[in-house]
Amino acid sequence: MPGEPLDPSAIRSELEKLHLASFGWALGCCRRNHADAEDVLQTAYCKILTGKARYDGRAVFKTWLFSVIRHTAIDMHRRAGFRRWFLVDAAETPAGSVPAALRELSPDAPAMQLLFQEALDTLPDRQREVLHLVFYQHLSVQQAAEVMGVSLGSARTHYERGKQRLRARLSASPLFHESGFLRPNARAAV
Amino acid sequence: MNQDFSDPTLAQLFERQRALDLSATPPFARLSRVARPAPRRSRRPTWAAVLAAAAVPAVAVVVFRLQAPRPATELPTPVRSAAIAIAAWEAPTDALLPNYAATSFAALTPPGGSWTDELLPSSRNAAAQ
């Protein structure tokens, strides 16, 4: 894929193929807020399909697309920060005290998964992003570095520190041990 | 205890999250509509904006007041008397200054003359005699 620009119909078809992964990444960039993730993804698609963001073929299409989504999310986050300080959105429903991760998951999601998401949310952005790209999106650390716009060494550092911190957070929760998730037979079933 | 959460365990947790997300993904056709009408939402300013707007003139007034020249004020009595004493002080040698030329140069011979001139009978002296 890298090395040649794509025509609009090919771009559309690539976007459609990567849609599920893109939405997962948008969710990761928006701290699991579904409404924000939809807005981010729609804006990113709009940028790409109108030619505002151009794929020049220098990178793999997926890493380029993820990079566009990430930058769109950062941009929207900044604007939302301004709105939060200076404007109240009249159409916005007041958010309760429930954390975003708990609100967005379906009610039948296991409590363990909620705790995992909460632990993930406590990580710094770069660490959370690199873990998502490697474990969730199955990208290499090198590709994750390209998406995040950092050097490979920096991405490796974020990756290792992120894993350490996530393990520490998860280990602090007794639920993981009580649930049997970590029993050898449970791990073997993976 | 951290050894429990090895890479495969973390990968399993991420996979479960991925499976949950798949069911909630909106259709591509909906999100890829380019010409979407931007929803105009009515917005009203927050308290932060109102406070910021009110703070600007208040800060301007404070800055203006700080930069304006202060009116002269009455000095405290000890300072005032000290100031008067300093202003009225005269050096001890000041008394010599007005008569300095008179006292120093009056006894000297005028330019062009000699101190022996006074010893010689001059025409003026002779006429006087």
Side-chain angles (χ1 to χ4, degrees):
Chain A
M1 184 81 63
E4 53 183 73
L6 299 172
D7 61 87
S9 63
I11 283 181
R12 195 177 185 84
S13 136
E14 285 295 322
L15 289 180
E16 193 161 7
K17 263 195 273 180
L18 294 169
H19 178 61
L20 292 177
S22 300
F23 187 70
W25 174 231
L27 273 175
C29 291
C30 298
R31 291 189 177 268
R32 318 263 337 136
N33 184 311
H34 273 246
D36 286 354
E38 280 192 32
D39 278 352
V40 163
L41 198 56
Q42 190 165 21
T43 308
Y45 284 167
C46 192
K47 278 184 191 172
I48 294 166
L49 294 172
T50 55
K52 225 171 152 186
R54 287 172 192 269
Y55 175 63
D56 56 9
R58 275 187 297 178
V60 178
F61 186 81
K62 189 177 180 180
T63 58
W64 173 78
L65 171 61
F66 279 18
S67 179
V68 172
I69 292 169
R70 181 174 174 271
H71 281 109
T72 307
I74 290 170
D75 193 35
M76 286 187 73
H77 182 70
R78 280 186 194 140
R79 287 183 194 178
F82 173 80
R83 273 209 307 271
R84 208 166 29 246
W85 274 100
F86 293 108
L87 295 170
V88 170
D89 207 330
E92 197 177 18
T93 52
S97 57
V98 188
L102 301 180
R103 276 205 313 273
E104 299 301 338
L105 265 185
S106 58
D108 55 343
M112 195 169 53
Q113 202 64 27
L114 298 178
L115 281 175
F116 169 65
Q117 286 192 1
E118 278 198 322
L120 205 57
D121 273 349
T122 60
L123 299 186
D125 286 348
R126 291 279 166 94
Q127 293 178 8
R128 192 167 37 80
E129 284 173 359
V130 73
L131 290 183
H132 177 100
L133 290 168
V134 172
F135 284 110
Y136 186 109
Q137 303 287 354
H138 307 298
L139 296 184
S140 65
V141 179
Q142 167 75 55
Q143 288 172 321
E146 283 173 26
V147 171
M148 294 162 60
V150 296
S151 68
L152 176 60
S154 175
R156 276 197 186 125
T157 307
H158 290 310
Y159 176 66
E160 292 301 331
R161 285 185 186 162
K163 279 199 297 186
Q164 274 178 12
R165 195 175 285 197
L166 185 59
R167 281 174 184 144
R169 301 275 162 148
L170 294 176
S171 298
S173 166
L175 183 66
F176 274 89
H177 302 279
E178 289 166 8
S179 65
F181 181 79
L182 295 170
R183 280 202 306 250
N185 56 352
R187 216 182 295 165
V190 179
Chain B
M1 197 184 282
N2 280 0
Q3 291 91 345
D4 292 342
F5 292 96
S6 58
D7 283 7
T9 312
L10 293 180
Q12 187 188 358
L13 286 164
F14 274 102
E15 278 303 321
R16 287 186 178 195
Q17 195 180 43
R18 188 187 170 92
L20 284 168
D21 292 344
L22 284 182
S23 57
T25 304
F28 174 73
R30 181 155 69 84
L31 296 190
S32 63
R33 253 181 272 146
V34 172
R36 63 188 169 111
R40 293 295 298 171
R41 296 166 175 177
S42 61
R43 290 169 182 171
R44 62 186 166 81
T46 59
W47 281 110
V50 171
L51 286 176
V56 169
V59 169
V61 166
V62 169
V63 169
F64 179 75
R65 290 289 300 275
L66 286 176
Q67 286 183 345
R70 292 181 181 183
T73 53
E74 198 69 25
L75 290 170
T77 310
V79 178
R80 191 157 178 253
S81 59
I84 291 168
I86 289 168
W89 181 80
E90 285 182 6
T93 53
D94 279 358
L96 301 174
L97 288 176
N99 300 319
Y100 180 70
T103 54
S104 304
F105 296 105
L108 293 180
T109 307
S114 168
W115 65 276
T116 55
D117 288 351
E118 290 181 9
L119 303 176
L120 297 174
S122 64
S123 57
R124 197 169 40 174
N125 292 340
Q129 286 170 1

